Amino acid sequence: MTISADEIVMNSEFDIINRYFLRSAHNASLGIGDDAALISCQPDTDLAISVDTLVASHHFFPDVEPRSLGHKVLAVNLSDMAAMGATPRWVTLSLTLPKIIAHDNAWLAAFSSGFFALADQHQVELVGGDTTQGPLSISVQIMGEVEREKALRRSGAKLGDDIWVSGFVGEAALALRYLQQKTMLTAEAAASCLPALHTPIPRVSLGRALINVAHSAIDVSDGLVADLEHILQGSQVAATIELDHIPCSSRLKDKLSEGGADYQLAIDCLLAGGDDYELCFTVPENKRIVVTQLAQQVGVRLSRIGKIVPGEGLTVLNNNRDPLIFNKKGYDHFLD
Ligand code: ADP
Ligand code: MG
């Protein structure tokens, strides 16, 4: 990271909190400043709670734009709320900062502005956190509300359900492989896919709209195959999906049809790439029209990629409708 001398100051822990993170919280009974925040939930709601940690060099490049990082740490948590059909309401932020960043006001200002821009968009309040020194690592805990017993779960898929996915899959993985110089892209293609990696858009409105429509849902964070398999295991069913029904950009389609060196890379991006933060969900076949209407209502492309069937496991059919053999199933922190 490049830091100019005039941006270096000596910030204390409390300077950082007060300057960059202290905001009045209107939806909380008590926000930042005491030993704990206080929140009151609406009656007849369940509180949905989730936490995600992003570690420098592991989940993001240490020199990533701090504004995008502020966006992404919140986006990945909002995506978990979306997958449950919950309305995100409150977050806490645990920051572990190396000294060089703790004293870099430009970095802190950019990070917090990216974080709050997305928080404001979703009317989510930062109600507390922790600030400490160490290798750069950021944890966000999110809390949301969902009508009692209505949350979307991984365990509700039923035989005969259609399997749907939002947006495009594989874009963030393609952008990552481009940054790692594992594949070539034109400048224009790179500019089109990099936002999927750096500033993903959590599908919060879609998740909420899927309540009473979808039988099950998950957000695609580890890769389509790995995450769909969580639904299959949770619901004790099997599935068949078709490769050419999986929605992807023309950039990825080009690589898939080339049949050359990048074919396997494109398959990996599509099936096991991860970092998509799209929703994968199952809906009974007789609600296809409802899903189509809902796509228009929330302004998100929705694609039907396969079906829930009896048995065990996931079959991916290639363009000739033969089962595709692939090794890498998704991202795993302890295996990759
Ligand atoms: P304690 O010593 O009781 O853990 P701290 O001194 O860590 O309290 O934090 C003081 C207040 O600032 C608390 O209300 C805490 O929630 C809040 N806080 C600390 N770090 C952050 C942060 N990164 N973002 C938001 N709030 C924070
Ligand atoms: Mg503390």
Side-chain angles (χ1 to χ4, degrees):
M1 73 204 72
T2 37
I3 297 167
S4 64
D6 58 351
E7 285 162 359
I8 306 288
V9 287
M10 294 306 283
N11 281 325
S12 73
E13 179 185 329
F14 296 101
D15 292 334
I16 295 173
I17 299 167
N18 292 335
R19 275 191 205 148
Y20 298 106
F21 299 103
L22 182 60
R23 288 263 197 113
S24 48
H26 305 287
N27 292 330
S29 312
L30 185 64
I32 293 172
D34 214 310
D35 291 311
L38 300 172
I39 55 177
S40 311
C41 300
Q42 301 290 321
D44 301 321
T45 58
D46 285 325
L47 190 60
I49 306 175
S50 174
V51 63
D52 261 308
T53 302
L54 299 190
V55 178
S57 303
H58 192 69
H59 297 96
F60 59 89
F61 296 106
D63 62 352
V64 70
E65 277 281 312
R67 194 181 155 87
S68 335
L69 185 61
H71 172 105
K72 187 162 178 177
V73 293
L74 181 56
V76 303
N77 281 274
L78 289 168
S79 178
D80 285 321
M81 293 292 105
M84 300 299 289
T87 302
R89 301 263 290 158
W90 306 281
V91 282
T92 60
L93 172 65
S94 177
L95 283 175
T96 305
L97 304 174
K99 273 191 182 161
I100 193 159
I101 288 185
H103 300 318
D104 181 351
N105 280 337
W107 195 100
L108 292 166
F111 175 86
S112 63
S113 73
F115 183 93
F116 281 120
L118 187 62
D120 290 346
Q121 208 179 309
H122 291 275
Q123 295 167 305
V124 169
E125 287 187 342
L126 180 64
V127 295
D130 196 31
T131 307
T132 186
Q133 200 228 117
L136 181 59
S137 165
I138 303 155
S139 250
V140 171
Q141 185 192 41
I142 194 158
M143 288 149 280
E145 290 175 312
V146 58
E147 198 184 326
R148 187 155 295 156
E149 291 179 10
K150 292 281 184 178
L152 304 171
R153 300 193 189 183
R154 299 175 177 190
S155 55
K158 303 267 184 307
L159 293 182
D161 278 1
D162 290 325
I163 302 168
W164 295 82
V165 69
S166 64
F168 281 157
V169 181
E171 282 292 276
L174 183 63
L176 177 63
R177 281 154 182 77
Y178 165 74
L179 293 178
Q180 292 169 329
Q181 300 183 337
K182 290 182 179 166
T183 190
M184 305 269 282
L185 289 173
T186 61
E188 197 189 335
S192 301
C193 67
L194 282 165
L197 178 66
H198 292 315
T199 49
I201 299 168
R203 304 301 190 188
V204 176
S205 313
L206 172 62
R208 258 198 317 251
L210 287 174
I211 294 234
N212 293 326
V213 176
H215 278 157
S216 68
I218 192 165
D219 70 319
V220 182
S221 53
D222 294 333
L224 181 61
V225 164
D227 288 317
L228 181 51
E229 280 185 344
H230 289 311
I231 288 189
L232 305 184
Q233 280 156 12
S235 307
Q236 306 257 294
V237 289
T240 303
I241 60 172
E242 296 188 42
L243 188 63
D244 62 352
H245 289 192
I246 303 174
C248 68
S249 67
S250 53
R251 300 168 278 289
L252 212 49
K253 273 207 181 89
D254 287 348
K255 291 187 183 293
L256 276 169
S257 61
E258 277 163 13
D262 268 0
Y263 175 78
Q264 196 53 48
L265 178 135
I267 293 278
D268 282 352
C269 288
L270 208 57
L271 298 179
D275 247 4
D276 291 302
Y277 306 106
E278 296 297 347
L279 295 187
C280 177
F281 53 94
T282 75
V283 182
E285 204 176 293
N286 62 10
K287 287 196 176 158
R288 278 185 192 170
I289 293 173
V290 178
V291 177
T292 312
Q293 286 166 345
L294 197 144
Q296 282 179 349
Q297 183 193 316
V298 296
V300 177
R301 176 196 177 105
L302 299 178
S303 308
R304 190 155 46 82
I305 61 167
K307 290 218 69 86
I308 297 292
V309 296
E312 234 179 68
L314 174 63
T315 307
V316 183
L317 299 177
N318 67 18
N319 299 356
N320 301 323
R321 297 194 60 82
D322 294 323
L324 189 85
I325 312 285
F326 56 95
N327 305 323
K328 193 172 174 349
K329 288 204 161 171
Y331 187 77
D332 184 304
H333 293 285
F334 298 106
L335 299 179
D336 285 271

